[in-house]
Amino acid sequence: MLPGMLGTEVCKALRKDQRTAHIPIIMITAKVDEIDRVVGFEVGADDYIVKPFSMREVGLAVKPSCDAFEHEVQTTMPELLSIGDIVIDLRSVIL
């Protein structure tokens, strides 16, 4: 469990912020009930993995999310992302 904030709240906040709305979110959690998975997807998770899990399972979840994110970065995002004093050249990070 995350300290101080639920993972669903983190997911909602990331989806609300224009700067982070497009970032893939894969929830890895010990919550196994169907309602927890449904809520995870409803708040914007791209995938939901329940503990215990294998690295193969994580890899299978990460690949499509990264592929979709890379396509979006190449087609819609600006070349530079600025947050405060930090400037990220996205072309050098993802491609």
Side-chain angles (χ1 to χ4, degrees):
M1 303 304 251
L2 295 172
M5 188 177 214
L6 295 173
T8 52
E9 294 303 315
V10 172
C11 190
K12 282 186 209 176
L14 290 169
R15 290 295 183 234
K16 273 177 109 173
D17 190 320
Q18 181 182 357
R19 297 170 298 176
T20 58
H22 59 281
I23 295 172
I25 299 172
I26 300 172
M27 290 188 167
I28 297 179
T29 179
K31 293 186 171 191
V32 298
D33 293 335
E34 178 186 8
I35 189 63
D36 295 315
R37 290 189 305 270
V38 168
V39 169
F41 286 117
E42 285 179 344
V43 296
D46 295 292
D47 210 336
Y48 191 97
I49 299 173
V50 177
K51 297 175 189 175
F53 56 86
S54 70
M55 290 311 295
R56 184 174 184 186
E57 184 178 4
V58 173
L60 289 170
V62 168
K63 176 130 179 50
S65 294
C66 287
D67 290 347
F69 181 62
E70 182 177 14
H71 174 74
E72 183 168 339
V73 166
Q74 291 174 349
T75 58
T76 63
M77 288 194 56
E79 293 177 357
L80 298 177
L81 177 63
S82 299
I83 302 172
D85 293 337
I86 300 170
V87 178
I88 302 170
D89 181 349
L90 293 172
R91 294 166 300 177
S92 67
V93 176
I94 305 166
L95 290 184

